Amino acid sequence: MEAAFVESGTTVDKGENARLSSFVGAIAIADLVKTTLGPKGMDKILQRISEHDQSISVTNDGATILKSVNIDNAAAKVLVDIAKVQDDEVGDGTTSVAVLCGELLREAEDLINQRIHPQTIAEGWRLARKAARDALDAAARDNSGDDDKFREDLLTIARTTLSSKLLTYDKDYFANLAVDAVMRLRGSNNLDHIQVLKKAGGHLRDSYLEEGFLLDKKIGVGQPKKIENAKILLANTSMDTDKIKIYGSRVRVDSLNKVAEIEEAEKQRMRQKCEKIMSHGCNVFINRQLIYNLPESIFTENGIMAIEHADFDGIERLAAVTGGEVVSTFDRPDLVTMGECDIIEEVMIGEDKVIRLGGCKSGEACSIVLRGASSHVLDEAERSLHDALCILTATVKDPRIICGGGCTEVLMAQAIDRQVEATPGKKALAMASFARALRQLPAIVADNGGYDSAELVTQLRAAHAAGENTHGLDMYNGTIGDMLELGVAEAYKSKLCVLMSASEAAEMILRVDDIIKCAPRARNEGY
């Protein structure tokens, strides 16, 4: 029927074909990242096949893997999007959200084969989601009133997050490092104030937290290497006009003297610009763009430290931590807010020199220096640490925490099972399928550790039925144990986002009955 009114080249998949295509695509994406879940999850090598870029990265971060995969299936793209949103929102749980969505769709496929309508399944899922959320709220603990207990909660969450990452063997060290950095923010939660600097060489354990801000740049030749009580002028302006640069145009002169006059005029303009900059009363000048030889020599003569090529991220972050403004014109010094810090000096990290800004106006500024054997190790360590920092800032905003290790998934499934008994109709089958999908998460974590998942999950169900509501998987001994004693905890906000995002995305895919692929617009010949 559609062929009568759609453009040639447009394809329409209907009914069972459309639903099957959606389910297969989404489940395949979930299976792709399933093996990375949990503390014993495996890593993936991502290799680029571009002609100009054949670099590789080794990671088990769900969002990083899914972002790197080119996908043609529409439902699979929905899973990639929810993983990205989870990464932006809380930083952790990106693999869990994709896997839970895939397991829900796997259960939905069985229900549809039993001739249960998608709307009935969606209605049952909504009831199950409400029961699961109520159980999650009841299980959450809040120790934000006690600073010592809250810090211990943050350390526990950081250790749990890092357990599934490259940094797992030094998780106590890096958990302390991440918590110290986040506690310095004093509730502002602006991660721009925490800079992560990667320097190859040494061991991961050589990484440290530097109070202050580190800039991986060089100080100009002959300029002071240390300045106290620095007044910093941050600029994004061209400081390279002392040489003639004429592209695509022609200048006719009748002698070389005229060329020299043009050069001198350019230099005079640059001298005037430098005088305007110095009239601000600054003793440090940091520019986003290059600084050529003439202005550098002028600053050197006047005892001003000049730092060039602080890229866009660097200059914006410097403005945030020093309390200054980035300026491009220098005619009104009275309107310019300069950055301030107690000391700027050149320090050595490994074999490299970097510039350290200590005692910044924004006291929460700090830098984490990561050391490691290679660029691949450093990149993965940075991703791991970024996840920990994100989940910690999310916990500072919403301080409730819950038990990890599959404990809350079994708890939520148990709450849904209790409600199933009192729910009439086919909706109850959909609710039971939601509970089964939740129980699949601890089963997958156990499988990834090489343990007998069926044995462990049934033991876990029995423990929760006996009232031991804090029991979960002990992945280091292959048994079940009390998560409070083992120190395995997760942020409430992360688990809530996983539950809501996965179920809403699965429901959206479930309700699809047609997939319409539009024909690409034909190009006119000659273009």
Side-chain angles (χ1 to χ4, degrees):
M1 179 65 187
E2 285 87 354
F5 57 84
V6 296
E7 193 176 332
S8 63
T10 302
T11 59
V12 181
D13 291 336
K14 294 184 69 66
E16 289 299 318
N17 287 340
R19 200 167 285 123
L20 184 64
S21 171
S22 296
F23 285 177
V24 167
I27 291 169
I29 284 294
D31 287 344
L32 175 70
V33 294
K34 184 194 287 187
T35 56
T36 67
L37 190 63
K40 298 290 184 80
M42 307 299 282
D43 288 358
K44 309 282 185 197
I45 290 181
L46 306 175
Q47 184 169 6
R48 292 166 184 81
I49 53 174
S50 161
E51 183 182 346
H52 304 292
D53 181 12
Q54 296 188 352
S55 59
I56 65 163
S57 52
V58 184
T59 183
N60 71 349
D61 182 56
T64 306
I65 295 165
L66 293 179
K67 283 177 194 170
S68 306
V69 180
N70 291 322
I71 295 168
D72 190 36
N73 185 283
K77 286 180 180 175
V78 173
L79 260 72
V80 174
D81 285 343
I82 61 170
K84 285 180 183 174
V85 170
Q86 180 80 10
D87 195 34
D88 295 338
E89 194 72 15
V90 284
D92 196 27
T94 52
T95 306
S96 300
V97 72
V99 171
L100 179 56
C101 185
E103 292 302 325
L104 284 169
L105 291 172
R106 210 186 298 271
E107 294 291 337
E109 193 174 10
D110 293 340
L111 292 176
I112 284 173
N113 290 337
Q114 297 173 34
R115 299 296 177 194
I116 298 175
H117 196 275
Q119 293 289 9
T120 308
I121 298 171
E123 190 178 352
W125 280 0
R126 282 194 286 273
L127 292 171
R129 185 167 67 214
K130 184 178 184 304
R133 182 168 185 174
D134 291 343
L136 193 64
D137 289 344
R141 310 188 309 278
D142 184 355
N143 290 324
S144 57
D146 185 329
D147 287 347
D148 292 335
K149 282 186 177 177
F150 185 54
R151 181 182 171 83
E152 191 54 46
D153 283 349
L154 289 177
L155 283 167
T156 305
I157 288 172
R159 280 194 289 265
T160 305
T161 300
L162 294 172
S163 290
S164 60
K165 312 286 184 189
L166 175 76
L167 304 176
T168 180
Y169 299 109
D170 294 312
K171 63 184 177 185
D172 291 331
Y173 180 77
F174 281 98
N176 270 299
L177 201 129
V179 170
D180 287 344
V182 168
M183 294 301 272
R184 283 179 64 88
L185 295 179
R186 304 191 189 108
S188 75
N189 294 332
N190 184 357
L191 285 180
D192 281 346
H193 291 178
I194 301 175
Q195 183 197 25
V196 178
L197 193 66
K198 297 179 290 186
K199 286 290 178 187
H203 306 286
L204 281 170
R205 189 81 188 206
D206 296 335
S207 305
Y208 64 93
L209 181 72
E210 174 70 59
E211 293 185 6
F213 194 83
L214 295 176
L215 194 62
D216 193 6
K217 299 295 172 188
K218 298 285 188 292
I219 296 171
V221 178
Q223 293 169 357
K225 304 296 183 190
K226 181 177 178 180
I227 287 184
E228 295 180 354
N229 299 319
K231 300 285 184 188
I232 307 165
L233 182 61
L234 302 164
N236 179 12
T237 186
S238 171
M239 299 295 289
D240 56 358
T241 52
D242 60 314
K243 295 186 178 180
I244 296 178
K245 297 195 302 295
I246 302 168
Y247 301 110
S249 57
R250 183 177 297 172
V251 177
R252 289 182 179 275
V253 291
D254 52 16
S255 71
L256 283 173
N257 290 336
K258 295 284 178 65
V259 176
E261 286 173 15
I262 295 172
E263 284 185 346
E264 187 55 41
E266 289 279 353
K267 287 180 179 179
Q268 188 57 37
R269 283 183 57 200
M270 180 53 68
R271 290 190 189 98
Q272 291 170 0
K273 189 172 188 177
C274 290
E275 284 168 10
K276 285 181 182 178
I277 290 169
M278 291 184 292
S279 69
H280 287 70
C282 62
N283 52 13
V284 179
F285 177 68
I286 302 178
N287 191 28
R288 185 195 160 200
Q289 300 179 41
L290 289 169
I291 301 176
Y292 269 31
N293 297 345
L294 178 67
E296 186 178 72
S297 65
I298 294 170
F299 291 135
T300 304
E301 287 167 9
N302 289 272
I304 293 174
M305 181 190 290
I307 301 166
E308 67 175 3
H309 223 270
D311 51 38
F312 189 74
D313 288 343
I315 203 81
E316 288 291 318
R317 193 175 271 158
L318 276 169
V321 300
T322 60
E325 292 177 348
V326 182
V327 294
S328 296
T329 56
F330 309 98
D331 296 321
R332 295 290 303 275
D334 53 314
L335 300 179
V336 175
T337 305
M338 286 200 291
E340 297 174 11
C341 70
D342 293 341
I343 187 168
I344 296 183
E345 59 184 343
E346 202 170 56
V347 296
M348 291 285 291
I349 297 178
E351 303 296 318
D352 301 325
K353 291 180 181 177
V354 297
I355 300 164
R356 175 181 170 274
L357 287 78
C360 295
K361 193 172 185 179
S362 168
E364 57 260 29
C366 62
S367 297
I368 296 173
V369 180
L370 283 180
R371 308 300 308 279
S374 71
S375 60
H376 303 121
V377 171
L378 286 172
D379 289 343
E380 180 62 2
E382 183 187 24
R383 281 190 287 268
S384 305
L385 196 61
H386 179 263
D387 283 359
L389 292 171
C390 286
I391 198 71
L392 288 173
T393 51
T395 309
V396 169
K397 288 179 193 170
D398 187 344
R400 288 176 287 179
I401 71 165
I402 52 171
C403 292
C407 170
T408 44
E409 283 83 356
V410 174
L411 193 69
M412 290 188 287
Q414 192 183 45
I416 295 167
D417 285 338
R418 281 197 295 269
Q419 196 163 326
V420 167
E421 296 167 5
T423 305
K426 293 180 179 178
K427 291 180 293 189
L429 295 174
M431 292 173 71
S433 74
F434 198 102
R436 282 196 300 275
L438 282 170
R439 277 193 290 268
Q440 276 300 308
L441 285 177
I444 291 165
V445 170
D447 280 335
N448 288 345
Y451 302 124
D452 185 345
S453 60
E455 176 70 22
L456 287 175
V457 172
T458 49
Q459 284 181 22
L460 201 51
R461 288 183 70 180
H464 278 257
E468 296 172 334
N469 291 334
T470 57
H471 272 52
L473 298 175
D474 179 357
M475 287 301 293
Y476 295 104
N477 298 311
T479 59
I480 64 169
D482 190 335
M483 296 294 102
L484 293 178
E485 292 177 7
L486 293 171
V488 179
E490 295 182 61
Y492 165 83
K493 187 175 181 183
S494 171
K495 191 62 72 178
L496 179 65
C497 284
V498 167
L499 175 70
M500 304 305 285
S501 300
S503 56
E504 286 170 6
E507 186 181 326
M508 183 170 69
I509 294 169
L510 176 66
R511 291 155 64 107
V512 169
D513 69 342
D514 280 8
I515 298 176
I516 304 164
K517 291 185 179 179
C518 302
R521 190 177 63 188
R523 291 192 177 194
N524 295 326
E525 289 186 15
Y527 289 92

